Amino acid sequence: ELIAFGLWLQKSLGVHAIVHVGAHGTLEWLPGKAVALSDTCFPEIVTGSLPVIYPFIVSNPGEAAQAKRRIAAVTLGHLPPPLTGAGLDEAQQRLERLVDEYAQADGLDRRRRDRLAKLIVETARKTGLASEAGVAKTDQPDEALRRIDAWLCDLKDFAVKDGLHVYGRAPEDEVDPLRRQSAEAEKANLLAALDGRHVKAGPAGAPARGRSDVLPTGRNLFTSDPRTMPTPTAHDLG
């Protein structure tokens, strides 16, 4: 069906380009050679000589490289979905309050501390949170408390996706100028690619992991940054 669709696009509909939305897709993973495809490779049959413009999440360079190698795509980096803290649900918040109370009592009121320690472990087991926190039945109370406390801290600070990124659009409450520039660049460079104009290359990586150099998005992704090659270790090894 995909081959038939590709041939229909080329020969019947007469399109001038393909805008491939959604990473990763099927097209770049079809049977055939990994690089330097021939006219018998499925991706080449489907796309023919059509330019492929591929909006691609900027934090996934590995699969963007596959699209470049196998369908010669212009991979336009776009912002990842906005992130927000995972937070805690009601049962987890109740457990956190007990842990906080335990920390306050520790060193001041031993009887209260011991009572709270027992209550924390009992509450965690009763709600099923103990197993989620990695607490084993054989763990001593101190070890169980340590695991529960660490798990709650990690869970509260864990970043999760908050909806989806709309290509070429920044959230109304966005204050980061680079992210606002990204939205404009995504739209402008999609139109530039469709017009056959040059789209500036840019690095790929996760903005949430300190890769601010990938902003603004909308650039044609590359996966290896020549500014960081060779690495110090590779240089030392020769």
Side-chain angles (χ1 to χ4, degrees):
E1 290 182 2
L2 192 55
I3 291 177
F5 179 66
L7 293 174
W8 175 73
L9 289 177
Q10 297 174 56
K11 301 184 182 299
S12 297
L13 194 60
V15 300
H16 297 156
I18 296 173
V19 178
H20 190 304
V21 179
H24 66 79
T26 302
L27 187 54
E28 63 268 33
W29 301 95
L30 292 174
K33 295 164 64 179
V35 293
L37 276 65
S38 70
D39 56 7
T40 60
C41 295
F42 281 38
E44 189 70 18
I45 295 171
V46 174
T47 60
S49 60
L50 289 175
V52 179
I53 302 156
Y54 202 155
F56 215 97
I57 188 166
V58 74
S59 57
N60 192 355
E63 292 181 356
Q66 177 81 351
K68 285 183 173 296
R69 284 195 299 262
R70 303 202 73 230
I71 56 176
V74 176
T75 50
L76 299 177
H78 68 73
L79 288 170
L83 298 177
T84 186
L88 303 176
D89 62 25
E90 185 176 344
Q92 293 160 353
Q93 289 176 5
R94 185 165 61 250
L95 191 61
E96 184 189 36
R97 287 194 293 269
L98 289 173
V99 172
D100 289 343
E101 188 178 352
Y102 171 86
Q104 293 171 4
D106 191 23
L108 297 175
D109 188 335
R110 184 174 179 179
R111 287 196 309 164
R112 181 180 169 213
R113 182 202 66 182
D114 292 345
R115 182 178 178 83
L116 282 166
K118 182 179 179 181
L119 182 59
I120 289 168
V121 176
E122 288 177 351
T123 301
R125 294 194 190 283
K126 184 178 179 180
T127 57
L129 297 178
S131 60
E132 292 186 33
V135 177
K137 292 181 179 180
T138 56
D139 283 344
Q140 295 299 312
D142 287 347
E143 176 63 16
L145 283 169
R146 186 193 66 78
R147 290 182 183 274
I148 291 169
D149 183 42
W151 174 72
L152 286 170
C153 289
D154 289 344
L155 185 63
K156 185 168 60 175
D157 295 336
F158 188 72
V160 295
K161 295 175 182 177
D162 184 20
L164 296 173
H165 170 63
V166 179
Y167 188 84
R169 185 186 302 172
E172 292 182 1
D173 58 351
E174 182 59 68
V175 296
D176 186 341
L178 280 176
R179 295 182 74 89
R180 287 198 167 276
Q181 289 175 31
S182 293
E184 293 301 320
E186 288 173 10
K187 288 188 292 187
N189 287 335
L190 175 60
L191 295 175
L194 286 169
D195 200 32
R197 291 182 279 121
H198 173 69
V199 176
K200 186 178 179 181
R209 296 183 179 178
R211 290 294 305 276
S212 59
D213 59 315
V214 306
L215 302 177
T217 53
R219 293 176 286 178
N220 190 8
L221 298 178
F222 57 80
T223 57
S224 296
D225 189 346
R227 295 171 298 178
T228 63
M229 298 173 65
T231 64
T233 305
H235 182 272
D236 291 343
L237 291 172

